[in-house]
Amino acid sequence: MTAGSMRSTYEASVAALRAQVDAMRREGASSEAIARAMHAERRRLAAVFKERTPEPRRSRIYHRTLAVYGDPLGPGIDDLRARGKSWDDIIESATRPGRPIPGDTTSW
């Protein structure tokens, strides 16, 4: 899989979480339950795609994420809440793919 197609697949996978949010809302799940589920799934997706990324690109992604969030997989849910993020903010961010590494047009 090329870096571009991996990035596209990752973005589609993250965007697909929106359908899960909609389904959970229809089932009456609370915003907290949805946020926790989507955050966990987003971190799982990030880990899967990072592991599929060849070196040295993988290390660049891990190092950037660690530098920005203090965690190589991104911010923890408790960190987001401590920063004042609402459950709905967390849902929205979990279903929006992050930006590629600036200046690295080959990153996923």
Side-chain angles (χ1 to χ4, degrees), residues 5-106:
S5 65
M6 188 179 324
R7 178 69 193 186
S8 295
T9 302
Y10 171 72
E11 288 180 359
S13 297
V14 171
L17 296 177
R18 293 182 192 124
Q20 292 179 34
V21 170
D22 294 342
M24 290 180 78
R25 287 199 194 282
R26 283 193 303 276
E27 294 168 2
S30 69
S31 290
E32 179 180 357
I34 296 168
R36 289 185 180 280
M38 293 305 101
H39 181 267
E41 183 60 14
R42 172 63 183 279
R43 283 177 64 90
R44 187 193 71 76
L45 285 171
V48 165
F49 280 88
K50 284 175 183 171
E51 284 304 312
R52 291 180 186 169
T53 302
E55 290 294 351
R57 193 174 306 127
R58 179 188 319 157
S59 290
R60 284 195 307 267
I61 293 168
Y62 273 118
H63 287 110
R64 177 187 177 273
T65 307
L66 181 62
V68 171
Y69 300 110
D71 183 315
L73 294 178
I77 201 161
D78 293 333
D79 297 324
L80 294 171
R81 292 291 290 171
R83 290 185 206 156
K85 300 295 183 183
S86 70
W87 295 120
D88 288 331
D89 292 338
I90 294 168
I91 293 166
E92 194 279 323
S93 65
T95 60
R96 182 186 67 237
R99 295 179 306 270
I101 294 174
D104 184 357
T105 59
T106 62

